[in-house]
Amino acid sequence: MTNEQYQEAVDWLFVQAPNYQIDGQKAYKPGLDNIIKLCEFFGNPQEKIKCIHIGGTNGKGSSSNMLASVLQESGYKTGLYNSPHLIDFTERIKINGENCDKEFVYQFIQKLRQLPEDIQPSFFEFTTIMAFEYFYQQRVDFAIIEVGLGGRLDSTNIITPLVSAITNVQLDHQNILGDTIEEIAGEKAGIIKNKIPVISGDEKDVVKSIIKNKAKEENASFIDASLLKSDLKSDLKGNYQEKNIKVVLALIEELRKLNFIISDANIEKGLLNVHKSTGFIGRWFEFSQNPLTICDTAHNQAGLEYVFHQLNSINKHKHIILGFVNDKKIDDVMKILPENSEFYFAKPSIHRGRHPEDYKDLLIAAKISYKIFDSVQEAYLSAKEECTNDEMIFVGGSNFVVGEFLEKNLEISE
């Protein structure tokens, strides 16, 4: 397999049926028929691995990676399925921090191209079965599976995990999941399985109630992680990680009840070495010190509120690069932008990327100092030129903005 053959195969994957399917139902997809057929075609590898299922609006990626780091520290061979990737497709599927083997990806895509005509999967369904099969072939001790979107009809919801978690529920993807917190919570709670413990990390009573009631229906234990007290720290530096750590601790406690050996020392060391253990970047990620440059993939109002609050606590003039995709409601985001800042709005270079000219009226109404750019890199180079060493740069607004920024600049900085 050459690099060209690998890239052609991955490109083919990306032009398959889109990740988002909307046919009038307020759900991620009209059903799980495709993923069921797909898994059956490959011999149901998801039934042959021990899974942990993690959903939620924000924090599921951080929680998944923190848990993976702890399990690796405990000596377990740990598979991790996250999305989306930031730079390379193989980031989505990892074992003990190592990206999925490109030869496996290439060969597996050749099999996907030969599927029967009655199986017409989406991109995310393709990658989900790829992860299941890779973890099965590599005989992992655990496979941590992050929900793609929603929960009830997400293609990852075909698994029967050891334990599930819902980190939190916020307004996001309303065009698919529903217009209210209650509707979205109902979709997220769809991952709860019969007699499988579920961890809830949300502090809102309405969300707790919906998850708790669904757990009761399924005769599943309900664990409220938001009530836990902990002073443990992680090398993932966002202030919001304190909430995610509680979810991870609750997940570990359930695994201990199943007689898996995870020591307190494993937990402490695992939480402090997430970057090193899993290669996870993009969450309050310190790209450089001179000038201080931070990027974060928060991409909805709730996530950005946490990030902007932390930015406001830093006593520096800020150069903030932001970009959004078409399905994000950004009206309210404009009301919470950090103070003492210059703004650089850019279009992410994907088909869903939204050009700032489309929301220029919002920028004018916000009464901020801003410039508009056709690309993230143009915005970054402009900000870098204007930023002094006693000021700072922030890059965010979308996974795709951060991914584009890191792909262009990470190797240069190393």
Side-chain angles (χ1 to χ4, degrees):
M1 176 201 68
T2 65
N3 284 334
E4 290 76 16
Q5 287 175 314
Y6 166 79
Q7 195 56 53
E8 186 275 332
V10 173
D11 289 344
W12 174 85
L13 204 61
F14 273 97
V15 299
Q16 301 313 299
N19 214 354
Y20 302 96
Q21 296 185 20
I22 309 166
D23 67 343
Q25 293 188 43
K26 289 185 177 179
Y28 181 37
K29 285 192 292 291
L32 297 176
D33 291 349
N34 271 332
I35 192 65
I36 290 170
K37 289 179 183 177
L38 201 51
C39 286
E40 286 176 350
F41 183 83
F42 284 97
N44 287 313
Q46 81 284 357
E47 295 178 357
K48 303 166 188 174
I49 51 179
K50 293 184 178 73
C51 294
I52 297 158
H53 207 188
I54 300 182
T57 304
N58 297 317
K60 55 184 180 287
S62 295
S63 299
S64 297
N65 278 268
M66 284 193 281
L67 179 61
S69 183
V70 170
L71 292 178
Q72 288 169 223
E73 195 63 44
S74 305
Y76 295 108
K77 188 175 185 179
T78 305
L80 180 61
Y81 178 48
N82 288 138
S83 63
H85 62 273
L86 291 180
I87 299 173
D88 190 89
F89 173 81
T90 55
E91 293 169 31
R92 290 170 177 260
I93 305 168
K94 294 181 178 181
I95 296 177
N96 283 6
E98 295 292 326
N99 289 6
C100 183
D101 179 65
K102 287 188 175 182
E103 180 69 34
F104 170 84
V105 172
Y106 174 76
Q107 295 297 342
F108 196 76
I109 290 174
Q110 306 318 305
K111 295 177 185 176
L112 293 175
R113 294 174 111 155
Q114 304 301 319
L115 286 171
E117 288 187 6
D118 65 324
I119 306 178
Q120 297 290 327
S122 70
F123 169 82
F124 190 72
E125 288 167 331
F126 275 139
T127 60
T128 299
I129 183 60
M130 188 185 296
F132 291 156
E133 180 65 17
Y134 190 62
F135 295 152
Y136 168 61
Q137 286 189 17
Q138 296 295 318
R139 300 296 191 268
V140 298
D141 296 314
F142 293 103
I144 301 170
I145 308 297
E146 179 191 334
V147 173
L149 193 156
R152 181 174 64 94
L153 295 179
D154 186 76
S155 57
T156 65
N157 205 27
I158 194 172
I159 63 175
T160 302
L162 300 171
V163 57
S164 301
I166 300 168
T167 55
N168 56 63
V169 177
Q170 308 287 352
L171 291 174
D172 197 15
H173 299 292
Q174 291 99 308
N175 59 327
I176 299 171
L177 300 176
D179 296 322
T180 67
I181 287 289
E182 289 85 354
E183 286 180 295
I184 296 172
E187 290 296 322
K188 304 285 185 189
I191 69 170
I192 300 171
K193 305 289 192 309
N194 185 250
K195 296 182 180 178
I196 305 297
V198 60
I199 313 299
S200 170
D202 204 297
E203 296 173 345
K204 296 185 290 293
D205 288 338
V206 64
V207 172
K208 288 184 187 184
S209 177
I210 290 168
I211 296 173
K212 193 172 186 176
N213 287 339
K214 179 62 176 176
K216 189 175 181 181
E217 282 178 29
E218 296 292 343
N219 197 23
S221 300
F222 170 85
I223 300 97
D224 187 352
S226 71
L227 300 178
L228 295 180
K229 305 291 183 186
S230 172
D231 57 1
L232 288 172
K233 302 296 181 185
S234 171
D235 61 336
L236 303 186
K237 292 300 182 185
N239 291 343
Y240 52 81
Q241 299 296 1
E242 293 174 9
K243 300 174 187 294
N244 295 329
I245 287 172
K246 292 180 181 182
V247 171
V248 172
L249 294 177
L251 282 164
I252 291 166
E253 190 54 37
E254 291 306 306
L255 293 175
R256 282 172 158 177
K257 289 178 184 176
L258 295 171
N259 296 320
F260 294 106
I261 299 170
I262 305 165
S263 71
D264 290 348
N266 294 150
I267 296 170
E268 186 174 355
K269 193 171 179 182
L271 289 175
L272 288 172
N273 289 281
V274 182
H275 287 305
K276 181 181 175 183
S277 297
T278 73
F280 187 56
I281 58 175
R283 275 62 168 186
W284 201 261
F285 176 64
E286 193 172 293
F287 173 79
S288 71
Q289 270 287 349
N290 295 304
L292 176 62
T293 302
I294 288 169
C295 56
D296 194 286
T297 56
H299 54 273
N300 52 47
Q301 185 187 353
L304 287 168
E305 276 185 7
Y306 281 118
V307 169
F308 290 167
H309 179 74
Q310 191 162 354
L311 277 174
N312 281 330
S313 71
I314 301 174
N315 187 26
K316 288 177 180 284
H317 185 74
K318 301 165 188 74
H319 299 262
I320 296 180
I321 300 158
L322 293 173
F324 306 98
V325 292
N326 286 326
D327 61 334
K328 296 298 176 185
K329 292 187 177 181
I330 62 171
D331 307 51
D332 291 334
V333 171
M334 293 298 148
K335 300 172 187 174
I336 59 170
L337 293 173
E339 306 150 0
N340 191 27
S341 304
E342 304 286 327
F343 292 92
Y344 306 72
F345 289 93
K347 178 189 180 296
S349 63
I350 58 165
H351 70 282
R352 288 168 54 219
R354 189 173 180 185
H355 199 288
E357 291 288 350
D358 294 344
Y359 52 87
K360 192 172 181 179
D361 57 329
L362 295 176
L363 302 181
I364 294 169
K367 297 180 179 178
I368 54 176
S369 175
Y370 71 90
K371 295 178 183 176
I372 285 176
F373 297 87
D374 292 329
S375 75
V376 172
Q377 187 65 2
E378 287 177 35
Y380 171 61
L381 292 176
S382 177
K384 191 177 179 185
E385 187 174 327
E386 295 187 25
C387 184
T388 64
N389 275 350
D390 60 348
E391 298 175 340
M392 72 169 291
I393 295 173
F394 175 81
V395 183
S398 165
N399 283 287
F400 304 104
V401 170
V402 174
E404 197 173 326
F405 165 70
L406 291 175
E407 184 176 15
K408 295 283 188 183
N409 300 288
L410 194 58
E411 289 183 5
I412 298 171
S413 72
E414 288 177 343

